[in-house]
């Protein structure tokens, strides 16, 4: 079980696999007003930066699940590095359908709502692991401004304009799912730069070190087109945020 290898190449140097920055991640942790011992479940946890830094800064405990073997190993190493390996655990596995044995105070899926077939299904999945009165965290894209054409939407790596909503419409959609929005932390263009542009140096160094790899052609093609695609489309039109929800 693993994700496609192209992602472990392009994001191998990332600690956070979405456009939120370390400062914004710290802001989110503080905004949730978590007390020591708060139990956090993170589905699609990537390299574990959220759980590890929150365990260090707020004394939370938690479990992260991710289907990428490399990212799971990086998460375990990060927990050791920050001295929190006794408070957080990471499982290499499929987060889709995962329900915790012990109810969490915070149940999160920050940037991988495909595990529940979309936002609604993911909220339902997270709710199965949440104690009454707990907080759901969902990371999701939205349109900063509506793309003028379907080609621009595809340039943002969406299938169509209909894939995402404008921010007010996304917030309203949470209400229709029976949730109160109780906090949000939004990525900015600097965060997008750090997420996307950091891949380019990783790809170039990988190409230099692996000239005979079977994925050289695909990685070379990506490095050639990604800077212009990103600056033309994603950076201008696509937003991203983490939204804290409580069931009504």
């Amino acid at each position: 079980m693993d994700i496609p290898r192209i992602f472990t190449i392009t994001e191998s140097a990332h600690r956070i696999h979405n456009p939120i920055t370390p400062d914004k991640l710290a802001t989110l942790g503080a905004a949730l007003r978590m007390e020591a011992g708060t139990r956090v479940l993170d589905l699609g946890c990537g390299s574990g930066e959220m759980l590890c830094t929150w365990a260090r800064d707020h004394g939370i405990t938690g479990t992260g699940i991710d289907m990428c073997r490399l990212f799971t190993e990086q998460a375990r190493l990060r927990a050791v590095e920050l001295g929190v390996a006794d408070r957080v655990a990471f499982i290499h596995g499929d987060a889709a359908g995962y329900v915790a044995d012990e109810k969490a105070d915070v149940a999160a899926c920050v940037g991988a709502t495909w595990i529940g077939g979309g936002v609604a299904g993911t909220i339902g999945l997270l709710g199965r692991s949440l104690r009454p009165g707990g907080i759901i965290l969902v990371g999701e894209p939205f349109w900063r401004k509506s793309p003028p054409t379907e080609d621009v939407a595809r340039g943002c790596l969406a299938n169509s304009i209909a894939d995402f909503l404008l921010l007010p419409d996304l917030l309203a959609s949470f209400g229709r799912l029976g949730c109160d929005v109780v906090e949000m932390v939004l990525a900015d263009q600097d965060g997008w730069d750090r997420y996307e542009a950091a891949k380019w140096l990783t790809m170039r160094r990988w190409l230099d070190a692996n000239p005979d790899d079977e994925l050289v052609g695909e990685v070379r093609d990506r490095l050639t087109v990604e800077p212009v695609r990103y600056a033309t489309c994603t950076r201008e039109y696509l937003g991203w945020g983490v939204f804290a929800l409580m069931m009504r």
Side-chain angles (χ1 to χ4, degrees):
M1 179 186 298
D2 214 330
I3 62 175
R5 184 166 166 248
I6 186 65
F7 296 108
T8 64
I9 293 172
T10 61
E11 298 192 24
S12 60
H14 283 52
R15 280 185 173 165
I16 303 174
H17 302 278
N18 57 60
I20 199 169
T21 60
D23 286 348
K24 295 268 190 176
L25 193 60
T27 296
L28 176 63
L32 296 178
R33 309 174 197 172
M34 296 178 294
E35 298 178 353
T38 296
R39 182 166 184 79
V40 181
L41 174 69
D42 189 5
L43 301 186
C45 65
S47 295
E49 190 72 358
M50 185 173 79
L51 285 179
C52 289
T53 56
W54 287 2
R56 177 196 64 193
D57 298 340
H58 303 287
I60 65 101
T61 65
T63 301
I65 299 92
D66 201 277
M67 69 186 301
C68 178
R69 189 176 301 278
L70 172 64
F71 297 165
T72 305
E73 287 303 314
Q74 289 176 335
R76 292 169 180 155
L77 291 172
R78 184 64 166 156
V80 172
E81 178 185 2
L82 296 186
V84 297
D86 60 332
R87 296 202 290 275
V88 293
F90 296 98
I91 299 169
H92 173 238
D94 189 355
Y98 183 91
V99 178
D101 293 332
E102 182 178 352
K103 298 294 186 182
D105 302 295
V106 178
C109 179
V110 180
T113 56
W114 53 266
I115 69 170
V119 172
T122 299
I123 289 173
L125 173 61
L126 293 170
R128 295 172 62 190
S129 296
L130 192 70
R131 68 163 179 80
I135 291 176
I136 289 172
L137 294 181
V138 174
E140 186 69 6
F142 58 88
W143 295 123
R144 294 180 61 239
K145 52 187 177 182
S146 186
T149 67
E150 292 290 351
D151 282 344
V152 172
R154 286 188 286 271
C156 297
L157 305 184
N159 293 312
S160 72
I161 294 173
D163 277 6
F164 306 128
L165 301 170
L166 292 168
L167 180 58
D169 298 326
L170 178 59
L171 295 173
S173 75
F174 294 134
R176 290 192 294 272
L177 293 172
C179 299
D180 288 323
V181 181
V182 297
E183 256 294 358
M184 69 179 188
V185 174
L186 304 183
D188 56 21
Q189 287 177 309
D190 288 342
W192 273 114
D193 291 348
R194 299 288 22 93
Y195 175 55
E196 293 289 349
K199 299 176 188 177
W200 309 336
L201 179 58
T202 300
M203 286 191 281
R204 176 52 197 264
R205 287 184 169 167
W206 183 90
L207 285 168
D208 291 345
N210 299 275
D212 299 320
D213 193 279
E214 62 182 2
L215 288 186
V216 160
E218 182 175 354
V219 175
R220 164 43 63 194
D221 289 345
R222 287 196 180 213
L223 180 56
T224 300
V225 304
E226 279 296 286
V228 173
R229 179 206 65 76
Y230 164 67
T232 302
C233 298
T234 300
R235 195 176 196 274
E236 289 301 307
Y237 292 96
L238 195 61
W240 194 90
V242 184
F243 304 93
L245 313 172
M246 295 180 70
M247 301 303 297
R248 292 174 179 164

